[in-house]
Amino acid sequence: FLTLLALEIVLGIDNIIFISILVDKLPAERQALARRLGLGLALVMRVLLLLSLSWVIGLTAPLFTVLGQEISGRDLILILGGLFLLGKSTYEIHEIHENLEGEEGHSSAKVKATFGSVLIQIVILDIVFSLDSVITAVGMVDQVSVMIAAVVVSIAVMMVSAGAVSAFVSRHPTVKMLALSFLLLIGFSLLLEGFDQHVPKGYIYFAMGFAVLVELLNLRVRRRRQQGRENTKHTVKLHRRYSKERPGPAQP
């Protein structure tokens, strides 16, 4: 149970990041509701998939063949999900650059998304991540009750931490860009998985963890520099108005 729980939480990190980026487009008063609904839908889908294991296992059966490559239902979902992640991440990165240009007076400010469009995008990605999560659970545990318990606890942990993660990503543009780069990497790995090219997730998450560590060090350095500039700005330098010894008359 603990091993599956840890794995479910790790697999849910990319889900939280994507939800955080999407929810950031909504008004502040609706962001918490969108996060809860998105993660709640992820929980419902994962439990329903676990309760229909025969259908999930059937998704691994080949549906058709393309250029000698057998494509199953799972492969099709992973390919479409990977393409969606690649396209959406590329669009978000482009939008960040457009917003930066808008702040400099070269283009318009960012456009807020609607609540419904954000939920639809969250549901699409929840389907992909839920399928991957459930197949991982099926490969590790035989008892459905243990799988459901691990999924419920992992979603609860994600709900508790989603607000802090979302606020952190929103405050730091460089972290948001790094997160979008992660989503590009995950989308590409899903695409490869759909074509039966297995990519060990350990390599991907190690690279992500190392990049996050480097970014945290950069944030700490920038924070210290900013504090140093503020301290220098507010430092009052005292000068003596008159010196004790006044210069005498100039010599001819």
Side-chain angles (χ1 to χ4, degrees):
F1 170 78
L2 293 177
T3 303
L4 181 58
L5 175 61
L7 187 58
E8 290 290 335
I9 293 174
V10 170
L11 292 175
I13 292 175
D14 43 18
N15 203 357
I16 294 179
I17 293 174
F18 188 81
I19 290 176
S20 301
I21 293 173
L22 290 178
V23 167
D24 189 49
K25 295 175 175 293
L26 294 173
E29 63 273 9
R30 308 201 71 184
Q31 291 182 5
L33 176 61
R35 282 194 300 268
R36 288 195 296 267
L37 284 177
L39 291 173
L41 289 172
L43 174 61
V44 171
M45 281 186 286
R46 293 185 188 190
V47 172
L48 290 177
L49 287 174
L50 286 172
L51 294 176
S52 56
L53 288 179
S54 59
W55 180 77
V56 173
I57 294 174
L59 288 175
T60 59
L63 295 177
F64 53 88
T65 303
V66 177
L67 299 177
Q69 177 69 45
E70 294 181 343
I71 303 296
S72 64
R74 173 182 177 271
D75 295 335
L76 194 59
I77 293 175
L78 291 178
I79 291 171
L80 294 176
L83 290 174
F84 178 78
L85 257 185
L86 289 173
K88 184 61 180 176
S89 301
T90 302
Y91 173 79
E92 293 292 335
I93 291 174
H94 174 73
E95 191 177 50
I96 289 176
H97 287 289
E98 289 293 319
N99 292 335
L100 291 176
E101 291 179 358
E103 292 175 359
E104 297 173 358
H106 297 292
S107 69
S108 59
K110 70 176 182 179
V111 179
K112 291 289 184 180
T114 63
F115 191 83
S117 65
V118 169
L119 274 186
I120 290 173
Q121 293 177 74
I122 290 175
V123 168
I124 293 174
L125 261 295
D126 280 344
I127 293 173
V128 178
F129 290 131
S130 296
L131 181 63
D132 192 26
S133 172
V134 168
I135 291 177
T136 300
V138 171
M140 291 185 60
V141 183
D142 296 329
Q143 299 179 358
V144 178
S145 58
V146 175
M147 299 179 197
I148 294 178
V151 167
V152 170
V153 175
S154 65
I155 293 293
V157 172
M158 291 163 62
M159 283 186 174
V160 172
S161 59
V165 172
S166 181
F168 183 78
V169 172
S170 180
R171 286 196 309 268
H172 301 90
T174 55
V175 174
K176 187 174 183 178
M177 184 65 71
L178 183 62
L180 289 171
S181 301
F182 291 163
L183 292 176
L184 281 173
L185 181 61
I186 293 170
F188 184 67
S189 68
L190 290 177
L191 195 61
L192 291 178
E193 289 280 350
F195 289 103
D196 293 334
Q197 302 297 320
H198 179 65
V199 180
K201 289 184 173 63
Y203 295 155
I204 296 176
Y205 285 103
F206 175 79
M208 291 170 59
F210 181 76
V212 169
L213 177 61
V214 173
E215 182 60 25
L216 290 176
L217 293 175
N218 287 333
L219 289 175
R220 185 176 181 182
V221 170
R222 286 196 293 268
R223 190 182 305 114
R224 285 189 173 184
R225 287 179 179 176
Q226 183 177 0
Q227 291 176 351
R229 286 195 296 266
E230 290 177 355
N231 293 336
T232 304
K233 181 179 178 181
H234 294 291
T235 300
V236 179
K237 295 183 178 181
L238 299 177
H239 299 277
R240 287 182 300 178
R241 189 171 182 180
Y242 300 101
S243 60
K244 293 182 179 180
E245 298 180 359
R246 296 184 179 180
Q251 297 294 330

